[in-house]
Amino acid sequence: MGSYYPCRMTKDNEPAEDGKGGHVPVMRVAVFVLALVALFVAAALLPLPELADIRVWSVELGPWFVVAFFVVHAAACILPIPRSTFTYAASVLFAPGMALAVCLGASAISAGAAFYGIRRFGYDVAAPLRSHHRLDGINTHLARRGWAAVLSLRMVPAVPFSVLNYAAALTPMGWRSFLVATMVGSIPGTAAAIVFGNSLTTGAGEKALVATVVIAGLGLIGLFIDSRVPTRPPKAERGDAPDTEVR
């Protein structure tokens, strides 16, 4: 662990732990923290176009505009740029069905790319925190049922999309379960936001706003239930003895 090599990954793109902890060079931690700070600074300084400018581009690009919008959405939201910016823009620029498909597809790519990058280069940096004995129960819970927390938090608009991507990548949660939970959990809130944004032009956004609040409430309830339901102990697989060590 004395070098700058990224986290070793298994063939299923899961972290390959070398042990319960270990020393991480201070310089490596500093580089990782500075990289995160640079991401947030870049996102804060990056100018976002006005909706009127985007409308002009949609006319100029014609049928290729939806492709360009999808690519920019997917790339930009890897950074800590509010995903709602693109969701509300899509709600005005596209039909509701197209807007939902574009936003969910782009969000999946953004979340997967952000998760992979942080997992690859930051997972080992956070090893000393995860190795603390008081976090053993939390690590076990996130490794086996972290998807439930992610699914619930995706339904709460106040939780930043990118921050949840970064934080989940530093936990033992699996990549596949994270991505599936992100996709499923993002559907209700994204749909409500698109309906709300589209309704601003018709003056009938009350129902969509109520739906957004209800969805957020359901997400918080799901998070509470997940925190109260105990994590099941690991089961033996293929005749092996149960793994009693928290990894």
Side-chain angles (χ1 to χ4, degrees):
M1 300 295 293
S3 65
Y4 290 91
Y5 294 120
C7 169
R8 293 191 303 107
M9 311 293 285
T10 67
K11 63 180 181 179
D12 295 325
N13 199 32
E14 307 299 348
E17 294 278 16
D18 291 324
K20 285 288 292 176
H23 174 69
V24 179
V26 175
M27 182 59 69
R28 184 176 179 185
V29 175
V31 169
F32 179 71
V33 172
L34 287 175
L36 284 181
V37 171
L39 281 179
F40 280 89
V41 171
L45 297 179
L46 187 67
L48 296 178
E50 299 291 337
L51 183 58
D53 296 328
I54 300 178
R55 286 184 180 275
V56 173
W57 298 337
S58 68
V59 174
E60 294 176 347
L61 293 176
W64 287 102
F65 174 71
V66 63
V67 178
F69 186 91
F70 181 92
V71 172
V72 173
H73 183 344
C77 288
I78 297 175
L79 299 173
I81 293 176
R83 187 174 70 106
S84 58
T85 301
F86 292 91
T87 303
Y88 288 120
S91 69
V92 176
L93 297 168
F94 307 118
M98 175 65 75
L100 182 62
V102 168
C103 290
L104 289 178
S107 296
I109 294 176
S110 300
F115 185 95
Y116 180 84
I118 298 296
R119 170 63 59 85
R120 192 77 176 177
F121 297 100
Y123 189 79
D124 286 346
V125 174
L129 294 177
R130 288 192 308 274
S131 65
H132 197 285
H133 67 90
R134 292 186 178 179
L135 298 180
D136 283 352
I138 296 177
N139 288 329
T140 301
H141 182 87
L142 291 175
R144 300 195 179 102
R145 213 171 65 216
W147 61 267
V150 171
L151 189 151
S152 299
L153 289 172
R154 291 300 189 197
M155 299 170 67
V156 182
V159 178
F161 178 76
S162 57
V163 173
L164 183 55
N165 296 336
Y166 305 156
L170 297 176
T171 73
M173 182 180 182
W175 182 81
R176 287 190 182 92
S177 57
F178 165 80
L179 197 56
V180 172
T182 290
M183 288 295 294
V184 175
S186 297
I187 291 174
T190 303
I194 288 173
V195 172
F196 177 74
N198 185 264
S199 67
L200 292 179
T201 59
T202 62
E206 294 83 1
K207 292 182 179 179
L209 183 59
V210 171
T212 300
V213 174
V214 171
I215 291 168
L218 292 175
L220 293 175
I221 292 173
L223 193 64
F224 174 77
I225 294 175
D226 177 59
S227 67
R228 304 301 296 177
V229 176
T231 305
R232 293 182 179 180
K235 295 181 179 179
E237 295 182 2
R238 300 177 184 177
D240 296 335
D243 182 6
T244 57
E245 181 182 4
V246 178
R247 297 187 183 278

